[in-house]
């Protein structure tokens, strides 16, 4: 299933909603570019809504880590929200749940990091 994403800017949050299988192929560089552009616009908080992501491959994980690194390099942060059970297990197995802040919903993330 091809990855689609949408980007919204709300207050000082960049909110990215990803759907499909995040396997980092052609869409990976585009997602990283969105983060780079947001940093140019002085966004420091990025929420990535994973509620519609069924699967993440190792290169998809690489994309998420690249996005996080870019944000942290400018004292920003990336928050993940609404991972499916499968994605949640993946975050635990890869210990990424210790690196990323994971919230149940976009609203929850916004309330906790405002």
């Amino acid at each position: 299933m091809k990855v689609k994403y949408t980007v919204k800017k709300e207050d000082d949050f960049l909110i990215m909603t990803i759907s499909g299988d995040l396997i980092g192929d052609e869409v990976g560089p585009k997602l990283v570019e969105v983060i780079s552009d947001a940093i140019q616009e002085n966004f420091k908080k990025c929420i990535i809504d994973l509620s519609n992501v069924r699967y993440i491959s190792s290169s998809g994980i690489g994309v998420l880590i690249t996005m996080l690194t870019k944000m942290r390099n400018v004292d920003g942060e990336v928050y993940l929200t609404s991972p499916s059970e499968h994605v949640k297990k993946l975050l635990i197995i890869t210990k990424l749940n210790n690196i990323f802040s994971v919230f149940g919903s976009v609203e929850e993330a916004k309330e906790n990091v405002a």
Side-chain angles (χ1 to χ4, degrees):
M1 188 172 155
K2 202 162 167 53
V3 173
K4 294 193 184 93
Y5 65 94
T6 59
V7 177
K8 291 190 299 200
K9 294 167 182 170
E10 277 180 24
D11 307 319
D12 53 350
F13 290 97
L14 179 79
I15 301 172
M16 186 183 291
T17 304
I18 302 175
S19 54
D21 298 339
L22 184 55
I23 48 180
D25 48 6
E26 72 278 357
V27 83
K30 288 187 188 130
L31 295 174
V32 172
E33 200 176 299
V34 169
I35 293 291
S36 298
D37 293 347
I39 289 168
Q40 294 295 316
E41 295 174 38
N42 290 321
F43 280 91
K44 297 274 181 114
K45 298 179 206 159
C46 175
I47 297 173
I48 301 178
D49 181 352
L50 297 173
S51 54
N52 297 315
V53 173
R54 295 182 318 179
Y55 170 79
I56 302 181
S57 70
S58 56
S59 55
I61 288 171
V63 170
L64 291 175
I65 290 171
T66 302
M67 292 160 75
L68 179 67
T69 304
K70 281 186 163 294
M71 270 298 189
R72 286 195 176 162
N73 284 344
V74 294
D75 295 326
E77 192 58 57
V78 172
Y79 307 96
L80 303 180
T81 67
S82 318
S84 66
E85 278 309 307
H86 175 77
V87 171
K88 237 183 243 170
K89 284 184 188 137
L90 182 75
L91 293 172
I92 291 166
I93 291 166
T94 56
K95 304 225 181 311
L96 288 177
N97 59 326
N98 299 329
I99 298 170
F100 285 96
S101 301
V102 183
F103 294 99
S105 69
V106 170
E107 286 67 38
E108 188 188 327
K110 285 168 77 175
E111 283 167 19
N112 283 286
V113 297

